[in-house]
Amino acid sequence: MKTNYLKTIGLIILVAGISASTTLLTQRYTQSKQTEQTTNSDTTGIPTGYAKFASITPAGDTDFTVAAELSVNAVVHIKTKYPAQKQYYSGDPFFEWFFGRPQYEEREVPQQQGSGSGVIISQDGYIVTNNHVIENSNDIEVVLNDKRSFKAELVGTDPNTDIALLKIDATGLPVILFGNSDNLKVGEWVLAVGNPFNLTSTVTAGIVSAKARNINIINAEMSIESFIQTDAAVNPGNSGGALVNTRGELVGINTAIASRTGSYSGYSFAVPTSIVQKVVADIKQYGTVQRAVLGVQIQNITDELAKDKDLGTLDGVYVSDVVEMSSAAIAGIKKGDIITKINSTPVKSASELQEQIGRYRPGDKVQVELIRNKKTQVLEATLKNRQGTTDVVRSNSDIDVLGVKFDEVGEKTRRALGISYGLQVKELKKGKMQTAGIKQGFIILKVNNMPIRSENDMESIFKAAQQNSEREKVLFIAGVYPNGQVAYYAINLAE
């Protein structure tokens, strides 16, 4: 059984008793669109199973039996398997690399298993779960509440929100109706439904204790964290499960807990459906999420900042910088502005602003209300993608799977190590290099016996390896750390 990735101190991504592999972690859609996406409605427009409760389940009702009955059958148990992995080791001297490929020894790590939860969102078998539940797995099994089992296809993932979409070959499945997470109120009752510790169909209750919570737990370059915080008991195995209101409507996907022990001890966090639905719609239509960016660096307004900058307000989000030629720059947003609304929706924190922008796609226009020199004005911005265009981004297998940012090797470091070229690992996130054990600061000298002098060299060798047969999709990497330690790594791109 894989070792739990749950951190023993701090904020923890939920898993179901497995390792780092499975555990870690744009148009606004109207309520009518949300209902349409469930694809499980009868002639009255109310999904099957909900009609008989439509008139007897007010939002404030504390009788949880109706919500439990409506949701428990649509929450599934997800079981994952991970291939046996080969680790490569070489004790050869550093100079040997320059005269021929070192002889690597292979060490095999046995197959591992894990589990989590998921939510059926359509009668024809689409299931939402967390990315960290299925990440890097090669076999995904979905077990329904009625004990039927299906092999699942991974439709797509979004590490930035920790959401993944699966598909099973089935029809007539029970679903959970999407609710509007924007309408949730602090203090409102909610239920968490999932499979903690492999205990299927577990339901716990709590209240919404906060919204738009950013806990800095998603390890992705463009992460969006605007969690619903609750005190419903959630434990390892609940990841990917449902957070529902007392009407039995899905308002969030349970994702993380705050714990010092690895188990529930007070607060849990869910991705709101306002984010989930956008991600799911994009994955189904494009194969990848269409991420819109405004092009500003932002920070929350504290009392100290407000006094230091003489802002005259504690509301909104402070613009600390604007990216050249970005949507914000073209729209006229400037450093020092305070963004207070996006399309008339108030934003009081950086996480709220990120959530609002995250609901749109490149090419969408948004009205940005801001305060400049203590005066309010409204500007229109046309959002762009990361490449600075409004084009649709298609899913493809590229060098991003390595999860690394590179930098040139400084002259002082080159002199100290006696090298004339190399590419240094500036920053690591979840990806194949991190999994292989490469650390920040590592200087790559050769890959597959080819010298690496630039990012273009690295990308060319990566693309060439991708064209090889499955057995030969390997990057053999040789390099040195700034302290002079020589290291070799091997990355299997086929896994």
Side-chain angles (χ1 to χ4, degrees), residues 134 149 255 381 393 427:
I134 52 81
S149 177
T255 300
V393 177
E427 182 180 326

Side-chain angles (χ1 to χ4, degrees), residues 317-320 332-339 370-373 377 379:
V317 181
Y318 182 75
V319 177
S320 56
I333 298 173
K334 298 180 179 181
K335 179 179 179 180
D337 286 346
I338 302 168
I339 298 176
L370 55 82
I371 298 174
R372 181 182 298 165
N373 298 326
Q377 57 181 287
L379 302 175

Side-chain angles (χ1 to χ4, degrees), residues 212-248:
R213 190 69 90 192
N214 186 329
I215 57 177
N216 295 316
I217 198 168
I218 297 180
N219 184 17
E221 186 176 354
M222 295 183 65
S223 63
I224 296 178
E225 293 191 16
S226 189
F227 292 122
I228 301 167
Q229 177 182 310
T230 81
D231 63 357
V234 171
N235 281 291
N238 273 109
S239 283
L243 185 73
V244 301
N245 59 23
T246 53
R247 291 185 295 270

Side-chain angles (χ1 to χ4, degrees), residues 210-444:
K211 294 180 66 177
R213 190 69 90 192
N214 186 329
I215 57 177
N216 295 316
I217 198 168
I218 297 180
N219 184 17
E221 186 176 354
M222 295 183 65
S223 63
I224 296 178
E225 293 191 16
S226 189
F227 292 122
I228 301 167
Q229 177 182 310
T230 81
D231 63 357
V234 171
N235 281 291
N238 273 109
S239 283
L243 185 73
V244 301
N245 59 23
T246 53
R247 291 185 295 270
E249 298 167 336
L250 184 70
V251 292
I253 298 296
N254 294 315
T255 300
I257 57 176
S259 174
R260 296 181 183 275
T261 64
S263 297
Y264 172 78
S265 62
Y267 296 113
S268 56
F269 302 89
V271 180
T273 52
S274 59
I275 292 176
V276 174
Q277 286 188 281
K278 163 63 168 53
V279 170
V280 168
D282 280 358
I283 289 175
K284 290 176 72 173
Q285 184 172 353
Y286 303 105
T288 189
V289 176
Q290 302 302 303
R291 185 75 68 217
V293 295
L294 186 58
V296 291
Q297 294 182 15
I298 54 177
Q299 63 186 98
N300 292 321
I301 298 177
T302 62
D303 184 56
E304 181 180 3
L305 178 65
K307 291 177 180 177
D308 181 55
K309 302 290 186 180
D310 189 26
L311 301 181
T313 182
L314 291 171
D315 290 332
V317 181
Y318 182 75
V319 177
S320 56
D321 204 358
V322 178
V323 179
E324 291 185 8
M325 300 305 296
S326 65
S327 303
I330 294 172
I333 298 173
K334 298 180 179 181
K335 179 179 179 180
D337 286 346
I338 302 168
I339 298 176
T340 57
K341 291 181 181 180
I342 299 294
N343 281 350
S344 300
T345 300
V347 289
K348 298 182 179 180
S349 66
S351 59
E352 288 182 334
L353 177 58
Q354 289 172 332
E355 178 186 350
Q356 289 301 316
I357 296 298
R359 299 182 185 197
Y360 298 92
R361 292 172 176 159
D364 290 341
K365 298 181 185 295
V366 295
Q367 301 295 315
V368 182
E369 184 172 310
L370 55 82
I371 298 174
R372 181 182 298 165
N373 298 326
K374 300 182 180 179
K375 295 182 180 180
T376 300
Q377 57 181 287
V378 178
L379 302 175
E380 183 178 83
T382 300
L383 300 176
K384 297 182 179 181
N385 56 34
R386 286 184 63 188
Q387 289 72 42
T389 73
T390 58
D391 297 337
V392 170
V393 177
R394 299 293 179 182
S395 177
N396 61 350
S397 178
D398 57 29
I399 200 169
D400 286 346
V401 301
L402 298 180
V404 64
K405 282 187 177 181
F406 296 110
D407 199 2
E408 295 181 357
V409 183
E411 183 179 350
K412 182 178 179 181
T413 302
R414 291 200 307 270
R415 287 202 307 266
L417 295 173
I419 59 177
S420 59
Y421 62 87
L423 192 62
Q424 189 162 28
V425 174
K426 177 183 179 182
E427 182 180 326
L428 282 166
K429 59 182 181 180
K430 291 194 68 175
K432 290 186 177 294
M433 280 202 173
Q434 187 181 73
T435 301
I438 293 175
K439 302 293 190 299
Q440 186 173 331
F442 180 64
I443 300 169
I444 299 173

